[in-house]
């Protein structure tokens, strides 16, 4: 075995202690953590009520913490309470000494495009835009669709909606006209806020055409407010389209807009999540519960402090951006950084350059981004002083131990906590995660549930799985921030989350819990492979492959097999310049056999240059499964970020089976 191999094997078994010298300054010290666990255990409602009161300003205090109707799967948080999300993110910081602090730093794709908004400036913009919406007839409960790239107007629009009680529905600007249309129709939006175009990787991408195409069949939309970003010539539809900057500077628009007093269970937003199959689900979140979980987790997990610069790299079109670029950090009065571009343009050092330039303290990103940057080599991280960083986070997919260790060593310089945070669009905020300064870190594990969050792993029949046995990950107690419904589809809500395992919330993820209570996410359960009765998580096999020094990316799926039920089919991307031959296949099979066991050895290995991914970077195994099985119908490919990889994959599969 080479040195590199031995080192890899050791890394996987290694555990890391959080930096103890930082414990003193932590929002959550070891002592407070122990106390929180005890409090949440003894009196969960009391625990959440205290967090909600401590972190948010309520216009009227709530009278009940939780009203549950488990028959109807209704969980109402902070009943009787009234608050406004935008007021919590802005107004209160005008009075507590943060008025002139940077609330939002925006870095555009071109290096010179920088805009900084203090709390005062952001408040004013949000108020003015809220007044524009009101002038257009938007009122409490109306839906507003937002189709914008990562520009400050996106956050401003969301907060303006929240201010007047309108429900926002953000649609990722990378989506096609069809996806945009489906989402607008699903929420019957009255207004659409969009941009002329997007800057991406040095190119201009026109958005207005998608808007016009989508609106062809969206009768609910009365007005379109256009943000000028690329400055391209665009067609305006008379009476329907107007410019953001003109509306905002109109003489009748005032600088202040009174925040609407919202009930805790009034909806704050709808966000569609693609789901692995079928129609996108419009996940609904309420005001009080959602604001509580995001403020709470930003405070404890990211340990946000007043002079921190917090950077969550996710697009605001995803829940991660909603919770940890906008609502969480602003609720706490922090400084949030938004970046319009991609990590590799103009060079693969863009993230490190930005961290250095703005003195970023908390850096929260995805395994896909880390893998892509790791492939470019560590010379890029070495170019910059990254010493302001204090906490690193990851979300969205399992982070393979190999990638975790690279992040830890090359970005965290072997000193910073790497937090692998688990949550979903539906959960509103982080539920399972290590804490930065309390308890150890195990690469590949998402740590333990946060205080007040209860999980369990069950088998198909609902019986409890044993320690380290993989099964369905369930959340067994309600938490603030849980979705309130799927928009216009209560039956799907009941069926997807509550009916299969009565009394619990079903996450759809596979996981195991080890002897110390650490959670290991195995991937979506639809992706689990069953070889001769053994359930194999895709993550485990993929991590083994990625740990091989010649591999940069891997995805595995199961294909039907007469005797074994299924066999493992692996798609592997090698480092450039290596031979994609039988010898390499043998070496990889051998490697997986040694790392996990013979049962996990891929029967087939297809070398590929790229993989189908959603626009948030998740590998779409559903499509890979169909390609591997030689099926012609690949299902819905509309939400892929780059559908052009598909043909190469189909060709590659055919060659293997010739
Ligand atoms: C996956 C993103 C492993 C999981 C916030 C979940 C993860 C889905 C992790 C939700 C993690 C998220 N480790 N898997 N740390 N975090 N996932 O709705 O399968 O875009 O169910 O929310 O991402 O994705 P969503």
């Amino acid at each position: 075995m080479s040195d590199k191999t031995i080192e890899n094997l050791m890394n996987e078994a290694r555990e890391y202690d959080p930096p103890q010298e930082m414990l003193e300054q932590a929002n959550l010290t070891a002592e407070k953590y122990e106390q929180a666990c005890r409090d949440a255990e003894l009196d969960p409602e009391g625990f959440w009520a205290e967090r909600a009161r401590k972190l948010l300003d309520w216009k009227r205090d709530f009278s009940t913490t939780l009203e549950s109707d488990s028959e109807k799967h209704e969980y109402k948080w902070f009943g009787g309470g009234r608050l406004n999300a935008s007021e919590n993110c802005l107004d209160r910081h005008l009075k507590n000494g943060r008025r002139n602090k940077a609330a939002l730093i925006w870095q555009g794709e071109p290096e010179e495009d920088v805009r900084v908004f203090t709390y005062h400036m952001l408040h004013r913009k949000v108020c003015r835009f809220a007044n524009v919406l009101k002038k257009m007839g938007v009122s409490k409960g109306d839906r507003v669709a937002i189709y914008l790239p990562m520009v400050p107007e996106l956050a401003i629009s969301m907060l303006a909606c929240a201010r007047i009680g309108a429900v926002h529905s953000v649609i990722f600007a990378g989506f096609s006209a069809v996806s945009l249309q489906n989402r607008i129709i699903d929420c019957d939006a009255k207004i659409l806020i969009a941009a002329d175009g997007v800057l991406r990787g040095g190119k201009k991408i026109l958005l207005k055409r998608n808007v016009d195409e989508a609106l062809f069949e969206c009768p609910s939309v009365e007005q379109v407010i256009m943000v000028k970003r690329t400055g391209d010539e665009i067609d305006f539809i008379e009476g329907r389209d107007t410019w953001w900057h003109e509306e905002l500077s109109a003489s009748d628009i005032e600088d202040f807009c009174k925040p609407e007093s919202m009930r805790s269970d009034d909806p704050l937003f709808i966000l569609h999540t693609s789901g692995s199959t079928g129609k996108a689900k419009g996940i609904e979140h309420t005001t009080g519960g959602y604001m509580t979980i995001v403020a709470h987790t930003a405070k404890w997990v990211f340990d946000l402090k007043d002079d921190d610069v917090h950077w969550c790299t996710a697009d605001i079109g995803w829940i991660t951006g909603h919770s940890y670029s906008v609502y969480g950090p602003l609720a706490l009065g922090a400084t949030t950084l938004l970046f319009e571009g991609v990590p590799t343009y103009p060079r693969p050092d863009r993230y490190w350059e930005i961290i250095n330039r703005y003195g970023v303290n908390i850096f929260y990103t995805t395994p896909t981004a880390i893998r892509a940057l790791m492939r470019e080599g560590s010379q890029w991280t070495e170019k910059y002083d990254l010493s302001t960083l204090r906490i690193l986070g990851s979300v969205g997919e399992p982070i393979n131990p190999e990638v975790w260790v690279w992040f830890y060593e090359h970005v965290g310089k072997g000193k910073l906590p790497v937090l692998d945070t688990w949550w979903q669009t539906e959960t509103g905020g982080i539920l399972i995660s290590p804490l930065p300064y309390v308890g150890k870190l195990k690469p590949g594990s998402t740590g333990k549930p946060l205080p007040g969050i209860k999980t369990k792993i069950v088998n198909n029949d609902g019986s409890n799985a044993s320690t380290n046995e993989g099964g369905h990950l369930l959340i067994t107690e309600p938490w603030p921030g849980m979705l309130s419904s799927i928009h216009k589809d209560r039956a799907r809500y009941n069926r997807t989350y509550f009916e299969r395992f009565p009394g619990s919330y079903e996450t759809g993820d596979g996981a195991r819990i080890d002897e110390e209570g650490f959670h290991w996410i195995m991937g979506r359960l639809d992706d689990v492979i069953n070889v001769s009765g053994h359930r194999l998580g895709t993550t485990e096999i993929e991590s083994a492959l990625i740990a091989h020094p010649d591999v940069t990316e891997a995805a595995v799926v199961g294909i039907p097999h007469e005797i074994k039920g299924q066999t493992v089919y692996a798609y592997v991307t090698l480092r450039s310049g290596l031979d994609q031959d039988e010898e390499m296949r043998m070496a990889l099979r051998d490697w997986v056999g040694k790392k996990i066991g013979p049962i996990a050895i891929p029967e087939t290995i297809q070398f590929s240059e790229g993989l189908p991914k959603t626009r948030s970077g998740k590998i779409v195994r559903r499509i890979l499964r169909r390609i591997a099985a030689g099926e012609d119908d690949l299902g819905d490919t509309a939400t892929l970020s780059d559908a052009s990889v598909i043909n190469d994959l189909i060709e590659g599969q055919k060659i293997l089976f010739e």
Side-chain angles (χ1 to χ4, degrees), residues 27-28 51 55 294-304 332:
N27 285 332
L28 197 64
R51 295 304 290 157
L55 293 164
V294 296
H296 165 70
T297 47
K299 183 107 189 169
W300 281 8
V301 178
F302 295 123
D303 192 47
L304 264 187
L332 298 184

Side-chain angles (χ1 to χ4, degrees), residues 264-281:
S264 175
D265 63 338
D266 275 333
L268 179 61
F269 65 85
I270 297 171
L271 182 62
H272 287 87
T273 163
S274 29
S276 52
T277 46
K279 179 170 170 271
K281 300 176 280 204

Side-chain angles (χ1 to χ4, degrees), residues 395-398 420-425 446 509 521 524 618:
V395 63
E397 282 177 287
D420 179 3
T421 64
W422 179 93
W423 58 297
Q424 308 177 299
T425 304
T446 57
D509 279 2
I521 308 294
R524 298 292 301 164
K618 292 194 213 301

